[in-house]
Structure formats: structure tokens, C-alpha cells
Amino acid sequence: MTEERLDRLEGMMSQLITMVGNLHNSMSDMQKDMKEMKNVQKEHGQKFESIELRIDKMETKNELRHHEVLKHLKRLEKDQDFIWEKAARN
């Protein structure tokens, strides 16, 4: 091979090596970004689960309070009926 041809091949090889190196760096950066995104997603998932648990607890408490209020209203209704009966008898 001629000297000129060898120089051209050498230039193409160095260009190819540079391109592969740049590609490798880009892939490494993308992998880091993906890991960061996965960590953020995991954190959001954990926060979401904790919010869901709190909402479930609140719903349970609200159910209990609702039943207590209904019981109290029924008691008041019975008391009112009793008072009306007594008033009607008098």
C-alpha cells in the first residue's frame, strides 16, 4: 500500500475510534439518566403508596364516624318520638 493510502486508513480508523468513543459516552450518560429516572420513579411510587394508605385510613375513619352519626341521629329520632307520644297523651 502506498503511504498516502495508509495515512487515509489511519485517519479513518482514528475517526471511527473517536465516533465509537463519543457513542459510548452518550450511552453512558443515557444510562445514568435512566438510573436517575428509575430512582425518581421509585420514590414517587413509594410516596403514592403512602398517600394511598393514608386515604384508606381516612376512608375507614370517615365510615366509622358516619355510622356513629347515624346511630346518634336514630337515638335522637327515638327520643323525639317518645317526647311527642308523651305530649300527645297529656
Side-chain angles (χ1 to χ4, degrees):
M1 285 194 190
T2 65
E3 188 71 30
E4 183 181 310
R5 221 169 169 196
L6 286 175
D7 287 343
R8 266 194 359 220
L9 278 175
E10 187 178 323
M12 285 193 266
M13 287 290 286
S14 78
Q15 186 181 15
L16 184 59
I17 289 170
T18 303
M19 289 169 64
V20 169
N22 290 339
L23 184 61
H24 178 70
N25 289 338
S26 295
M27 284 183 62
S28 295
D29 291 344
M30 285 176 60
Q31 286 175 340
K32 287 178 188 175
D33 291 346
M34 291 283 286
K35 284 181 183 178
E36 288 176 20
M37 287 172 61
K38 283 182 182 179
N39 288 337
V40 168
Q41 187 178 19
K42 186 184 284 187
E43 288 174 15
H44 288 338
Q46 290 170 345
K47 287 178 183 177
F48 184 70
E49 286 176 10
S50 100
I51 290 171
E52 280 183 324
L53 286 174
R54 280 196 279 166
I55 288 173
D56 288 344
K57 286 179 184 178
M58 287 173 63
E59 285 177 347
T60 303
K61 281 183 180 179
N62 287 340
E63 251 332 279
L64 291 173
R65 289 178 184 154
H66 178 72
H67 287 295
E68 286 177 27
V69 167
L70 287 178
K71 283 182 188 177
H72 189 68
L73 286 174
K74 285 180 183 178
R75 237 182 287 136
L76 288 173
E77 192 176 315
K78 287 179 182 178
D79 288 347
Q80 184 181 7
D81 288 345
F82 178 73
I83 291 169
W84 278 109
E85 279 182 36
K86 266 196 160 185
R89 275 190 239 150
N90 288 335

